[in-house]
Amino acid sequence: MLLAPRVHGDARGFFQETYRADAWAAEGIPTAFVQDNHSRSRRGTLRGLHFQTHPGQAKLVRCARGRVLDVAVDLRRGSPTFGDWEGFVLDDESGHQLFIPVGFGHGFCVLSDTADFVYKCTAYYDAATEKGIRFDDPDVGVAWPEDLELLYSDRDRDAPRLAEIADSLPFRYAG
């Protein structure tokens, strides 16, 4: 779900409410966030596609500085959109945010020289339940920017393809 919080700007700069429990709850976003994360990355950095299995981890993400292509992949078995992805440009000017529910893989690629990416999580990070799928899985087909030299970790490069883990995914489509 893409959210577009209001940005109040003038010659001095801007002000924006980046999180407000009552407003986000009215949009159907859980408000029981337990962890905030912040990453800084340089142009071309690709992080993902990551998810946590148990209990799962929903995220509310935004780009506080710079510009990124943010991607979510449906990993809910039985879903009519299983394996499909959606991507949104998030930047520090629009202030748009993306809510990624449990059952979706998540990743982003930095489009600007530098990007500060921040996100709220509904579950604590747990290395034992962290998983991923290849960012370049041809069956998923994410259209990452072709004009960038992509920088990624060995872990992301060596992640399995979705087809290799699909039967073991704990997420089910509720209908």
Side-chain angles (χ1 to χ4, degrees):
M1 176 183 298
L2 186 66
L3 301 165
R6 187 175 167 103
V7 178
H8 306 275
D10 61 24
R12 300 168 296 162
F14 73 89
F15 171 83
Q16 176 186 22
E17 289 181 343
T18 60
Y19 177 72
R20 183 178 166 127
D22 61 347
W24 275 241
E27 296 294 328
I29 306 298
T31 59
F33 293 107
V34 298
Q35 181 176 322
D36 281 5
N37 299 324
H38 181 157
S39 72
R40 177 170 293 156
S41 304
R42 67 185 184 114
R43 182 177 179 82
T45 296
L46 192 148
R47 298 184 186 272
L49 297 162
H50 304 149
F51 58 95
Q52 285 201 184
T53 55
H54 300 286
Q57 188 183 62
K59 298 174 183 174
L60 179 63
V61 304
R62 67 186 179 89
C63 187
R65 177 173 79 164
R67 188 169 186 246
V68 303
L69 172 63
D70 197 70
V71 171
V73 178
D74 188 353
L75 302 177
R76 301 168 300 161
R77 293 190 296 160
S79 169
T81 58
F82 180 80
D84 290 351
W85 67 276
E86 282 193 86
F88 301 91
V89 172
L90 303 179
D91 61 37
D92 57 6
E93 290 185 28
S94 71
H96 289 177
Q97 300 177 7
L98 187 63
F99 176 69
I100 301 144
V102 170
F104 286 75
H106 173 252
F108 67 91
C109 180
V110 178
L111 305 174
S112 54
D113 289 339
T114 303
D116 283 343
F117 193 77
V118 295
Y119 47 108
K120 301 178 107 32
C121 303
T122 60
Y124 296 111
Y125 170 77
D126 180 357
T129 67
E130 183 181 34
K131 304 289 183 203
I133 60 171
R134 283 188 63 98
F135 64 88
D136 61 351
D137 183 334
D139 294 332
V140 176
V142 175
W144 299 109
E146 294 181 13
D147 61 333
L148 292 177
E149 179 182 342
L150 299 180
L151 309 168
Y152 42 83
S153 69
D154 291 345
R155 182 188 76 172
D156 290 346
R157 179 197 64 221
D158 298 337
R161 291 176 56 177
L162 178 56
E164 296 174 61
I165 64 166
D167 291 341
S168 67
L169 290 170
F171 315 116
R172 291 251 179 223
Y173 178 68

